[in-house]
Amino acid sequence: MKVYALSGGYLELDSAIFFADRAPGTRVTAPIGCALVIHPRGRLLFDTGVHCAAIADPVARLGEARAKRFGVRSGPDDHVVAQLALLGLAPDDVSHVANSHLHFDHCGGNEFFPRARFLVQRRELDAARDAATLALGRYTPSARDFDHPLDYHAIDGEHDVFGDGAVVLMPTFGHTPGHQSLRVRPATGDEIVFTADACYTQETMDRDVLPGVLWDAGEMRDSLAALRRLRDGHGARMIYGHDAGQWRAMRRAPEALV
Ligand SMILES: [Zn+2]
């Protein structure tokens, strides 16, 4: 089994978005990490980043308000299709796609995978489809990014992708109604957890500070505690959702993470 960290783009944003206790006014550039797991039974892509069209024309793709809140700072190859090409792969070589959740920076590339089986928590799909039509206040899924004729499979809670315990989707609700993280156990014995937005950065986990904007604080705190137990109690390696320092120091595609 091999695991790769793929760039799904870079966004400049106010750091107060990450930490509820921080005063607004400081802009930071955050990476959007995606992961590719190559398993004997298939290839799983975890998250699809920001849509590649946002690189050339952010306002046209994201809309004016979102493009103002989030500056697109991606280079030309910072999108999943180009990242797969670095590994000699095309989108059709990906058998499974799992979205951590359906915000625009995590499902932007979904439309490029019409042959893949999509694995998304039922709570997330239901809320996103509801929110897209009913405009639920605290949750803004990106219908333009996920609402395509794709092979979506709703999953409920923990899901063992290939049936051998090596690649497991783990419910980490709270950031959004049906957020999930990815646990990978390569044969080397180490365990890697891609938290996605259940934990933006290492500081989030170390200081136990939630973002200001989220779906359910109680659920998110429980999810963060479960992830922390995996890190501090089981020695799992956390790959945080948007941690610039960790991302810079990490082995990324075309190099394998493990
Ligand atoms: Zn995100």
Side-chain angles (χ1 to χ4, degrees), residues 95-97 110 113-120 125 129 146 148-154:
S95 57
H96 296 70
V97 177
N110 278 16
F113 300 91
R115 296 172 60 140
R117 179 182 180 92
F118 277 75
L119 303 170
V120 184
L125 279 172
R129 286 168 175 156
F146 78 82
H148 298 283
L150 298 166
D151 187 23
Y152 283 111
H153 291 258

Side-chain angles (χ1 to χ4, degrees), residues 11 18 31-32 47 100-101 103 105-106 175 196-197 200 241-242:
L11 292 177
F18 281 178
I32 298 147
D47 279 346
S100 61
H101 63 299
H103 280 159
D105 54 326
H106 296 264
H175 173 71
D197 287 2
Y200 283 145
H242 296 293

